[in-house]
Amino acid sequence: MVSIGSIISWMAANSETLVSQAIQHLNISLTALLFGVLLWIPAAIAVRNHDRAADVLIGTAGIVLTIPSLALLSLLIPIMGIGVAPAVTALVLYSALPIARNTYTGIEGVDPAKIEAGRGLGMTDRQLLVRVQLPMALSVIMAGVRQAAVLLIAITTVAAFFGAGGLGNSIFAGIRLSNANQILAATAVISGIAISLDYGLYAVQRFLPGGAEVQET
């Protein structure tokens, strides 16, 4: 019979495995998040003045997000093999929509009066971007990074099915063994990581311009 006590007992007996898999899980998720930030924020900045290109970027990212993770990883395996590489690649693609959309929306949402004031001071487009638009959009951009972080922590679970490691190994093993304690224990750890990461990024967001007005989600 499954109970909180039996789940905690299983976690205590398998703490070393859970810690090791949690580190793997975080390593895969945070690596993908880092590459997602480095790729999709500049991409959104590049299309900020081109509505058609922005529609293509955000629309494509939306389509990618609708592809089931099992299917996307299966498509990448013939090209990249199994392991961490296809998992990280798939996760970077999944991070595109929240990061790129929030970056574009944040920049587009800057008060036009402030941009005109900057132009009145003789700022170039580049100076306006660096000194006005990006600082004022940082809170919205961080909100997208938070969404991506939680999303990637959840999807990384599936990556274990393709040999990437992580807490998904415990969940799939629990399914094979019909061990509900193992499944729920690994799920609880994944949820704990996602919530902790979200709150950590929320704390950072609160210190950004406009971040104090952001409601906790």
Side-chain angles (χ1 to χ4, degrees):
M1 181 177 178
V2 178
S3 65
I4 294 177
S6 65
I7 295 171
I8 293 174
S9 295
W10 191 94
M11 294 175 75
N14 297 275
S15 58
E16 289 187 11
T17 299
L18 285 175
V19 170
S20 174
Q21 291 179 349
I23 292 173
Q24 287 180 335
H25 203 100
L26 265 175
N27 183 43
I28 296 168
S29 301
L30 294 182
T31 299
L33 183 64
L34 174 62
F35 279 109
V37 168
L38 293 176
L39 180 62
W40 302 123
I41 290 179
I45 291 173
V47 301
R48 70 188 186 283
N49 294 324
H50 307 281
D51 291 343
R52 188 173 182 82
D55 289 342
V56 171
L57 174 64
I58 295 173
T60 303
I63 292 171
V64 170
L65 195 58
T66 66
I67 301 174
S69 51
L70 280 173
L72 183 57
L73 279 165
S74 298
L75 291 172
L76 290 173
I77 284 176
I79 303 171
M80 307 183 72
I82 62 173
V84 174
V88 169
T89 300
L91 294 172
V92 170
L93 293 175
Y94 280 127
S95 71
L97 183 61
I99 295 176
R101 182 176 58 190
N102 275 48
T103 301
Y104 179 76
T105 302
I107 293 174
E108 287 294 296
V110 173
D111 187 350
K114 290 185 170 56
I115 296 176
E116 286 305 314
R119 292 194 189 281
L121 293 173
M123 290 185 182
T124 63
D125 286 345
R126 183 181 180 83
Q127 289 172 327
L128 278 171
L129 173 68
V130 174
R131 298 181 184 179
V132 179
Q133 292 172 299
L134 278 180
M136 297 192 69
L138 273 179
S139 179
V140 179
I141 295 172
M142 181 55 76
V145 174
R146 284 176 59 200
Q147 293 172 14
V150 174
L151 178 71
L152 298 188
I153 290 292
I155 297 178
T156 298
T157 305
V158 179
F161 192 72
F162 297 90
L167 288 159
N169 279 338
S170 278
I171 291 179
F172 291 126
I175 292 173
R176 287 196 302 273
L177 300 171
S178 297
N179 187 338
N181 288 322
Q182 186 171 3
I183 296 170
L184 292 174
T187 301
V189 175
I190 292 171
S191 297
I193 291 173
I195 293 170
S196 300
L197 189 56
D198 186 46
Y199 271 85
L201 293 175
Y202 171 69
V204 174
Q205 187 180 2
R206 294 275 296 173
F207 286 100
L208 298 176
E213 301 170 3
V214 175
Q215 297 295 316
E216 187 177 349
T217 57

